[in-house]
Amino acid sequence: MDSRIETYIRQIPALAEAAAGKEMLWINDRECPENGQGEKTVSGEQIEDAAGRLARFAPYLAEVFPETAGRNGMIESELREIRAMRQELNQEWRAGISGRLFLKMDSHLPISGSIKARGGIYEVLKHAEDLAFEAGLLTEKEDYQKLASCEMKEFFGRYKVQVGSTGNLGLSIGIMSAKLGFQVIVHMSADAKQWKKDLLRSKGVTVMEYESDYCAAVEEGRKSSSQDPMSYFVDDENSVNLFLGYAVAGERLKSQLEEQEIQVDSRHPLFVYLPCGIGGAPGGVAYGLKEVYGDNVHCFFMEPTQACCMLVGMATGEHDRVSVRDFGISGRTDADGLAVGRPSAFVGKVIEKRLAGICTIEDRKLYELMRALMKTENIFIEPSACASFAAFFHPDEMEGYIRKKGLCDCMGQAAHIAWATGGSMVPQDMAEEYLNTWKQA
Ligand SMILES: *Cc1c(COP(=O)(O)O)cnc(C)c1O
């Protein structure tokens, strides 16, 4: 271990715990109030523009993915209060949750069953629109259902889309691109589950498999794409478009909270817990929420103890210049959606003044939480998504944060949202295997 890393471990207690493989909750000391966050990396107009684009595509999506027709082609998930799970967490795990607990069910998003259906699909649509506009085949005023025609599919068929993925991003990009008619290559890391590769191949997607980790798969994809002028690479490490697709969730959640008459203001704080891999999905959602709610929303990222890349990047301020392996952390986790060893520099820098903190959780607990949610609410979510409950294992650190923010006397009016990032596409036999993993006799 180099001396720079040793110094960080000595100076930052959370990093010492992380390096020892322990669960912890780190409060971000670089977080600033809204008026001190400096220049915006993406503007409110850019997020609005992204929302407008998704609205233009909605009639097309409703036609080609009938499962989206119920919401008129809008890719959105339910926000559901989980009272029984809250009670279970408070009674069996002494979580001490005050206020109400909700599950944001991106696990059940249409088309690809994970949070990646937000950013991933958005970026493919944006690319398709750019190409069609440029070729003079489409205008903003036209009905986008036209994109389902054979002529348009043939047009897109001349182009290629590529992406590196641990699984869920590949599913979103692959399914959407193939539907439009693109040639698609998904570069999968060793963590990717077999059923995801099978599903993609069944849709005509080319799946390249690598023995290496996520970052290497991304690198292969980037290289392969750069050699082909007709190819477009979805870059999970740097993409502003992915980020914008996720950020649209902010306004969407606001509408849902209003519909359910859940107040958010300085005396009714909103706590949001987001499972984090490379950072794009949780970063984009958190950014969108901060744009809407400012200082009244408190966003925490959740990571596996063995793949806490955003923690090491953010706590040191080194972002993508450090990886978990530098700290002697393996990078291996059953939470395949979060199995990332090096964080996105782009997201880290955008979010570092806005993030409340980062919490880590052991794999074994992910399965226990999965069973608890199944038992109490009859909802299945995948291991990665279960990380959204991790903060409830650290009531003391949370209390410290609440005190620091002067919220002690209003937590009874708080709303907590565990962001369930994936699960509904997991095949039945896999789900059962998960539900039996690490089960005590
Ligand atoms: C990708 C993913 C995440 C995290 O998203 P990042 O952009 O990698 O941080 C969380 N949960 C699930 C299920 C995912 O697939």
Side-chain angles (χ1 to χ4, degrees):
M1 198 177 289
D2 78 36
S3 62
R4 175 183 58 133
I5 301 292
E6 278 171 1
T7 308
Y8 283 131
I9 290 177
R10 236 184 354 260
Q11 290 174 345
I12 307 168
L15 287 179
E17 285 180 63
K22 289 196 199 130
E23 294 183 338
M24 48 101 246
L25 192 155
W26 171 74
I27 300 298
N28 177 18
D29 47 22
R30 264 187 293 251
E31 191 200 10
C32 297
E34 205 177 356
N35 58 18
Q37 287 164 356
E39 220 175 292
K40 287 198 170 135
T41 328
V42 301
S43 66
E45 289 84 73
Q46 279 176 291
I47 300 173
E48 235 168 81
D49 175 63
R53 183 162 296 103
L54 287 168
R56 289 198 292 280
F57 272 97
Y60 165 74
L61 292 172
E63 176 162 314
V64 298
F65 293 110
E67 68 266 35
T68 66
R71 289 186 199 261
N72 298 318
M74 190 160 87
I75 303 165
E76 196 41 73
S77 71
E78 186 187 341
L79 176 71
R80 189 185 296 181
E81 183 160 21
I82 45 173
R83 286 197 184 84
M85 180 66 173
R86 176 185 181 280
Q87 189 177 350
E88 176 88 2
L89 285 164
N90 278 353
Q91 284 180 356
E92 301 298 318
W93 312 67
R94 277 171 294 185
I97 304 168
S98 353
R100 295 164 75 182
L101 176 63
F102 297 84
L103 193 68
K104 180 59 178 159
M105 295 173 71
D106 277 10
S107 46
H108 292 69
L109 275 176
I111 304 177
S112 61
S114 83
I115 193 167
K116 306 294 192 319
R118 296 184 184 277
I121 290 175
Y122 173 74
E123 177 148 3
V124 173
L125 297 178
K126 166 88 168 71
H127 178 56
E129 192 187 58
D130 287 346
L131 288 174
F133 281 179
E134 211 174 296
L137 295 170
L138 185 72
T139 63
E140 267 192 35
K141 300 275 175 310
E142 268 178 283
D143 182 347
Y144 278 35
Q145 278 177 321
K146 149 179 198 186
L147 295 172
S149 68
C150 294
E151 185 202 351
M152 287 307 294
K153 282 173 116 167
E154 247 175 59
F155 168 71
F156 291 126
R158 285 185 246 147
Y159 297 89
K160 206 182 275 173
V161 174
Q162 303 196 50
V163 65
S165 174
T166 61
N168 285 338
L169 184 62
L171 278 188
S172 292
I173 303 282
I175 294 172
M176 189 66 244
S177 304
K179 184 64 88 179
L180 282 158
F182 285 109
Q183 304 167 50
V184 203
I185 306 177
V186 175
H187 302 263
M188 289 277 203
S189 62
D191 307 281
K193 299 282 186 266
Q194 189 59 41
W195 68 267
K196 293 181 184 171
K197 300 176 193 169
D198 295 342
L199 178 65
L200 281 173
R201 288 190 174 122
S202 79
K203 305 212 179 262
V205 172
T206 303
V207 178
M208 307 287 284
E209 300 179 61
Y210 303 94
E211 289 301 312
S212 47
D213 72 352
Y214 170 77
C215 295
V218 170
E219 208 35 62
E220 290 292 337
R222 192 181 284 128
K223 203 162 63 188
S224 157
S225 193
S226 68
Q227 288 157 358
D228 180 350
M230 297 299 273
S231 176
Y232 178 81
F233 182 62
V234 177
D235 189 342
D236 201 10
E237 288 170 349
N238 301 296
S239 171
V240 176
N241 284 323
L242 274 177
F243 193 82
L244 288 170
Y246 293 121
V248 170
E251 277 295 338
R252 299 262 187 95
L253 186 75
K254 178 167 182 258
S255 309
Q256 287 186 317
L257 287 167
E258 284 169 1
E259 265 164 40
Q260 299 189 30
E261 296 180 1
I262 299 150
Q263 230 173 308
V264 180
D265 54 41
S266 61
R267 305 318 290 162
H268 297 80
L270 177 63
F271 284 72
V272 182
Y273 309 99
L274 296 145
C276 176
I278 195 162
V285 171
Y287 192 92
L289 286 168
K290 291 301 267 185
E291 283 291 291
V292 173
Y293 290 116
D295 297 335
N296 299 329
V297 64
H298 308 269
C299 299
F300 291 84
F301 286 179
M302 310 284 129
E303 298 189 295
T305 47
Q306 290 302 313
C308 51
C309 65
M310 195 50 83
L311 173 78
V312 300
M314 195 88 83
T316 60
E318 299 252 12
H319 302 297
D320 66 332
R321 293 191 302 269
V322 288
S323 93
V324 294
R325 277 168 214 93
D326 297 336
F327 290 79
I329 301 166
S330 75
R332 276 193 294 274
T333 168
D334 282 5
D336 53 332
L338 315 179
V340 181
R342 194 183 291 277
S344 156
F346 161 63
V347 173
K349 286 171 193 159
V350 173
I351 212 73
E352 84 187 324
K353 292 183 179 167
R354 293 171 170 82
L355 190 67
I358 299 178
C359 181
T360 61
I361 183 165
E362 283 174 10
D363 282 8
R364 167 192 287 270
K365 279 212 192 118
L366 298 176
Y367 292 102
E368 289 172 16
L369 288 160
M370 179 189 292
R371 282 188 282 274
L373 189 66
M374 192 69 193
K375 182 182 86 178
T376 56
E377 305 283 347
N378 198 28
I379 299 170
F380 174 81
I381 60 176
E382 65 185 83
S384 301
C386 297
S388 57
F389 296 104
F392 301 129
F393 295 99
H394 302 269
D396 297 342
E397 287 87 345
M398 261 329 236
E399 210 184 297
Y401 176 82
I402 288 161
R403 216 175 314 114
K404 180 176 113 178
K405 296 280 171 181
L407 296 171
C408 294
D409 58 345
C410 57
M411 286 310 289
Q413 295 141 202
H416 302 268
I417 298 180
W419 210 284
T421 44
S424 65
M425 303 266 287
V426 175
Q428 189 66 34
D429 56 334
M430 269 303 286
E432 263 155 44
E433 199 182 308
Y434 282 148
L435 287 165
N436 286 306
T437 301
W438 264 329
K439 197 171 184 172
Q440 270 141 11

